[in-house]
PDB file of all heavy atoms in Angstrom:
ATOM      1  N   MET A  42     135.701  59.015 147.112  1.00  0.00           N
ATOM      2  CA  MET A  42     136.525  60.108 146.615  1.00  0.00           C
ATOM      3  C   MET A  42     137.039  59.815 145.216  1.00  0.00           C
ATOM      4  O   MET A  42     137.086  60.696 144.356  1.00  0.00           O
ATOM      5  CB  MET A  42     137.707  60.346 147.563  1.00  0.00           C
ATOM      6  CG  MET A  42     137.292  60.885 148.932  1.00  0.00           C
ATOM      7  SD  MET A  42     138.664  60.935 150.103  1.00  0.00           S
ATOM      8  CE  MET A  42     139.689  62.174 149.336  1.00  0.00           C
ATOM      9  N   GLN A  54     121.801  48.108 134.486  1.00  0.00           N
ATOM     10  CA  GLN A  54     121.767  47.203 133.337  1.00  0.00           C
ATOM     11  C   GLN A  54     121.705  47.965 132.018  1.00  0.00           C
ATOM     12  O   GLN A  54     121.094  49.018 131.917  1.00  0.00           O
ATOM     13  CB  GLN A  54     120.552  46.275 133.468  1.00  0.00           C
ATOM     14  CG  GLN A  54     120.470  45.201 132.401  1.00  0.00           C
ATOM     15  CD  GLN A  54     119.305  44.270 132.653  1.00  0.00           C
ATOM     16  OE1 GLN A  54     118.639  44.375 133.678  1.00  0.00           O
ATOM     17  NE2 GLN A  54     119.046  43.377 131.728  1.00  0.00           N
ATOM     18  N   LEU A  74     135.499  63.786 111.504  1.00  0.00           N
ATOM     19  CA  LEU A  74     135.898  65.020 112.171  1.00  0.00           C
ATOM     20  C   LEU A  74     137.413  65.187 112.170  1.00  0.00           C
ATOM     21  O   LEU A  74     137.928  66.296 112.034  1.00  0.00           O
ATOM     22  CB  LEU A  74     135.358  65.041 113.601  1.00  0.00           C
ATOM     23  CG  LEU A  74     133.839  65.205 113.723  1.00  0.00           C
ATOM     24  CD1 LEU A  74     133.375  64.903 115.141  1.00  0.00           C
ATOM     25  CD2 LEU A  74     133.397  66.603 113.300  1.00  0.00           C
ATOM     26  N   LEU A  98     125.865  56.881 123.691  1.00  0.00           N
ATOM     27  CA  LEU A  98     127.034  56.117 123.278  1.00  0.00           C
ATOM     28  C   LEU A  98     128.200  57.067 123.034  1.00  0.00           C
ATOM     29  O   LEU A  98     128.036  58.099 122.375  1.00  0.00           O
ATOM     30  CB  LEU A  98     126.736  55.323 122.006  1.00  0.00           C
ATOM     31  CG  LEU A  98     125.500  54.427 122.060  1.00  0.00           C
ATOM     32  CD1 LEU A  98     125.178  53.885 120.670  1.00  0.00           C
ATOM     33  CD2 LEU A  98     125.697  53.288 123.048  1.00  0.00           C
ATOM     34  N   GLY A 138     126.091  64.109 128.522  1.00  0.00           N
ATOM     35  CA  GLY A 138     124.966  63.709 129.353  1.00  0.00           C
ATOM     36  C   GLY A 138     124.045  64.849 129.716  1.00  0.00           C
ATOM     37  O   GLY A 138     122.814  64.720 129.653  1.00  0.00           O
ATOM     38  N   ASP A 244     132.642  78.440 108.400  1.00  0.00           N
ATOM     39  CA  ASP A 244     132.052  79.776 108.524  1.00  0.00           C
ATOM     40  C   ASP A 244     132.962  80.687 109.336  1.00  0.00           C
ATOM     41  O   ASP A 244     133.126  81.874 109.005  1.00  0.00           O
ATOM     42  CB  ASP A 244     130.674  79.682 109.181  1.00  0.00           C
ATOM     43  CG  ASP A 244     129.862  80.961 108.992  1.00  0.00           C
ATOM     44  OD1 ASP A 244     129.284  81.131 107.909  1.00  0.00           O
ATOM     45  OD2 ASP A 244     129.834  81.792 109.930  1.00  0.00           O
ATOM     46  N   ALA A 278     127.134  65.264 101.495  1.00  0.00           N
ATOM     47  CA  ALA A 278     128.429  65.481 102.133  1.00  0.00           C
ATOM     48  C   ALA A 278     128.774  64.325 103.063  1.00  0.00           C
ATOM     49  O   ALA A 278     129.919  63.850 103.095  1.00  0.00           O
ATOM     50  CB  ALA A 278     128.424  66.796 102.899  1.00  0.00           C
TER      51      ALA A 278
END
Side-chain angles (χ1 to χ4, degrees):
M42 293 172 66
Q54 185 176 354
L74 290 167
L98 307 170
D244 196 80

